[in-house]
Amino acid sequence: MIVSTQATPSPSPLGPGCALCAAPGVFGPHDPADPHSGLCPACITAGKPTREGLESAVVIVAGQTLAGAESLQLATATPEELAYHLGAVKRSLRSVLQLLAPTEGKHAR
């Protein structure tokens, strides 16, 4: 019996895909010194401080929240899980609606 002393490389904890939104593809390794490393072009665009970037970020997070809520099994979910997912969907919906709300003046909300 021959025992190999070479360590096999372990898969990346994040795996292939975007480190933020999990979009499939290869976007390079994650480097903590570079905030855009390992991110897809959509997430990099969303990270820019523009109106389009903010809208993209809100849509990405709302989509992730909705996907998490859709994967919940209602028949077996605990009340805590239901409350968590309902609150998350409510916050995401509020964020999306705030993007659509008309703004008036400098201090309007």
Side-chain angles (χ1 to χ4, degrees):
M1 182 166 128
I2 299 174
V3 178
S4 174
T5 58
Q6 291 180 326
T8 57
S10 61
S12 170
L14 297 177
C18 178
L20 184 62
C21 72
V26 179
F27 304 107
H30 177 67
D31 178 13
D34 179 13
H36 294 132
S37 66
L39 300 181
C40 68
C43 288
I44 291 172
T45 301
K48 294 181 180 176
T50 63
R51 174 73 181 188
E52 293 82 21
L54 174 63
E55 290 172 355
S56 296
V58 167
V59 170
I60 288 170
V61 172
Q64 291 174 336
T65 302
L66 187 58
E70 287 176 341
S71 68
L72 185 67
Q73 296 294 323
L74 295 177
T76 59
T78 65
E80 292 83 10
E81 289 174 317
L82 291 172
Y84 170 79
H85 284 287
L86 182 60
V89 168
K90 176 184 161 191
R91 287 187 299 276
S92 291
L93 180 58
R94 180 179 294 157
S95 296
V96 170
L97 291 175
Q98 286 176 343
L99 286 177
L100 301 175
T103 57
E104 297 176 18
K106 188 172 161 182
H107 300 289
R109 282 191 137 198

